Amino acid sequence: MRFPLAALSLLALSQLTGCTSQSKQENTAQTGKITAEASAEPANAKVDSSEKPATEARPMASNRAVSTGDSTLDSLTYAPEGAILPQKRIFAYYGNPHSKKMGILGKYPKEEMLDRLDREIKNWEKADPATPIQPALHLVAISAQGAPGKDGGYRMRMSDKTIKKVLKWGNEHKAIVFLDIQRGHAPLGPEMEFLGKYLKLPFVHLGIDPEFSMVTGAKPGTKIGSYDAADVNQAVQFLSRMVKEYKLPPKVLVVHRFTQGMIKNYKNIKLDPNVQIVMDMDGWGPPVLKKDSYHDYIQKEPVQYTGFKLFYDNDFRKQGSRIMTPEEVLALTPKPMYIQYQ
């Protein structure tokens, strides 16, 4: 099924422009995703519904084997042991603390947000008592923008202060943290390098959003962007090098997707024992449309693990629509091992 693109969310853009954060706009296709930033969400091996990893993760020597060179970051001591997937299901709250419109992460004050996270996790534990849950915070750390900026990159990097704040929240709450990249026109490599000192921490992982990868040169938000398998492989190789160099547990890479064209040549994506790849169905809409998108773009084009995104507000936008229950999401094949709420 096809769905029209939604209008740009100027309110979210105005909230983030001018602070060291990002803006996000609204973009929908298939199930229709709302991204809250400014003008601005593979696979070679088949997986069955049990989602067994294709390769065994390499054992790590130590969770805290390296200094980041930043005393504040080095004071963060949370260090989960070993590979997270499929031993645990990751449950993430998404957004940016500078924007109430971008997602649940910034909609409420810290303590209320974390309390809501814990209460929501209980619903998922009840739905699947056999699978432990790993709490997570998913920060849009590099946000696509409607203006080019000084270097023409059409993206805004969050300040060190903003990123550290969310990392502290995760550390205190025993939650892993994802740093998400919406590259705009900027090359992916330097954006990952910018986040490198944070990714040295064992509880910090990476997300990349094809929606705002503007390979055609279009302004973010005017068209849906894309990544090729080569780009996903570049991110995998970057993370794998970090795992090996700093003796870290395997990293998780979340790749957002809600249309056919957002990921090209998925069969050429290469698995790596040091990186766990999650293809995340990142669209909003009625349950039937979300299920269709999961089937068409995630299940039919498998990579390694799968994810599913739910929207507290936008899954209700169409008349008669509603947010899916944990039981409904867990009835999908394969069962998503990464759950994200915006």
Side-chain angles (χ1 to χ4, degrees):
M1 296 184 179
R2 295 289 175 185
F3 300 86
L5 290 178
L8 179 65
S9 176
L10 296 178
L11 176 59
L13 171 57
S14 65
Q15 286 182 323
L16 283 172
T17 302
C19 53
T20 52
S21 90
Q22 65 191 11
S23 54
K24 190 156 188 179
Q25 69 187 41
E26 208 175 288
N27 221 328
T28 67
Q30 303 301 336
T31 53
K33 168 187 175 186
I34 284 210
T35 64
E37 284 107 24
S39 34
E41 222 143 9
N44 62 17
K46 299 285 184 180
V47 292
D48 62 18
S49 59
S50 65
E51 293 209 281
K52 295 179 181 178
T55 51
E56 190 67 27
R58 182 181 64 82
M60 64 175 197
S62 170
N63 269 340
R64 300 296 285 140
V66 63
S67 170
T68 65
D70 184 312
S71 60
T72 301
L73 295 179
D74 289 345
S75 70
L76 305 180
T77 59
Y78 180 49
E81 291 287 343
I84 297 173
L85 302 171
Q87 288 80 10
K88 294 182 179 181
R89 175 171 289 112
I90 299 170
F91 184 93
Y93 264 11
Y94 172 99
N96 185 293
H98 294 294
S99 173
K100 293 184 178 181
K101 296 291 185 180
M102 193 177 296
I104 189 70
L105 183 62
K107 187 172 182 178
Y108 299 101
K110 168 196 167 186
E111 294 303 330
E112 183 177 356
M113 180 272 293
L114 292 173
D115 181 62
R116 286 172 177 268
L117 173 71
D118 291 342
R119 284 188 278 127
E120 196 70 72
I121 284 174
K122 289 180 181 178
N123 294 329
W124 286 81
E125 290 175 332
K126 182 178 179 181
D128 182 8
T131 306
I133 287 182
Q134 171 62 63
L137 302 177
H138 198 117
L139 168 68
V140 183
I142 298 173
S143 166
Q145 298 288 299
K150 292 182 179 180
D151 64 357
Y154 283 89
R155 58 85 178 87
M156 180 184 291
R157 293 172 172 178
M158 297 304 103
S159 68
D160 195 47
K161 180 179 179 181
T162 294
I163 296 174
K164 284 181 179 179
K165 175 165 65 175
V166 177
L167 293 182
K168 288 179 182 177
W169 293 355
N171 181 72
E172 293 166 3
H173 209 67
K174 291 183 169 50
I176 62 174
V177 176
F178 287 87
L179 303 179
D180 208 85
I181 296 174
Q182 299 173 351
R183 74 173 191 91
H185 290 192
L188 179 60
E191 303 311 297
M192 292 191 294
E193 292 289 350
F194 170 73
L195 299 176
K197 74 172 183 177
Y198 311 110
L199 289 164
K200 291 179 183 178
L201 296 172
F203 72 98
V204 181
H205 303 270
L206 183 66
I208 58 174
D209 196 338
E211 182 178 358
F212 302 105
S213 172
M214 311 313 297
V215 295
T216 64
K219 184 166 68 172
T222 61
K223 295 183 181 297
I224 297 173
S226 66
Y227 275 127
D228 186 81
D231 302 304
V232 179
N233 289 338
Q234 181 185 10
V236 169
Q237 291 162 9
F238 177 85
L239 292 174
S240 184
R241 286 196 303 270
M242 296 203 73
V243 168
K244 289 183 284 189
E245 182 174 355
Y246 301 113
K247 299 180 176 60
L248 300 170
K251 292 291 185 183
V252 180
L253 173 66
V254 171
V255 183
H256 306 289
R257 185 180 191 184
F258 60 95
T259 71
Q260 183 73 41
M262 287 174 72
I263 298 295
K264 302 183 185 303
N265 303 309
Y266 83 97
K267 291 182 179 180
N268 294 331
I269 293 176
K270 299 183 185 302
L271 300 185
D272 185 298
N274 298 312
V275 181
Q276 301 188 303
I277 304 172
V278 174
M279 301 302 294
D280 178 39
M281 201 299 288
D282 184 7
W284 60 264
V288 64
L289 302 184
K290 295 173 75 82
K291 291 177 184 178
D292 284 348
S293 289
Y294 185 82
H295 174 268
D296 291 346
Y297 312 126
I298 305 298
Q299 180 182 347
K300 287 179 66 175
E301 297 194 356
V303 180
Q304 190 175 16
Y305 298 98
T306 66
F308 200 88
K309 187 168 183 177
L310 297 156
F311 293 77
Y312 280 120
D313 296 326
N314 293 301
D315 279 341
F316 291 91
R317 288 188 59 166
K318 290 185 178 293
Q319 187 173 4
S321 186
R322 60 176 175 79
I323 197 167
M324 291 174 65
T325 66
E327 290 79 7
E328 289 175 311
V329 175
L330 293 174
L332 296 169
T333 302
K335 286 185 181 181
M337 293 303 294
Y338 171 88
I339 303 297
Q340 183 185 100
Y341 277 71
Q342 179 166 323

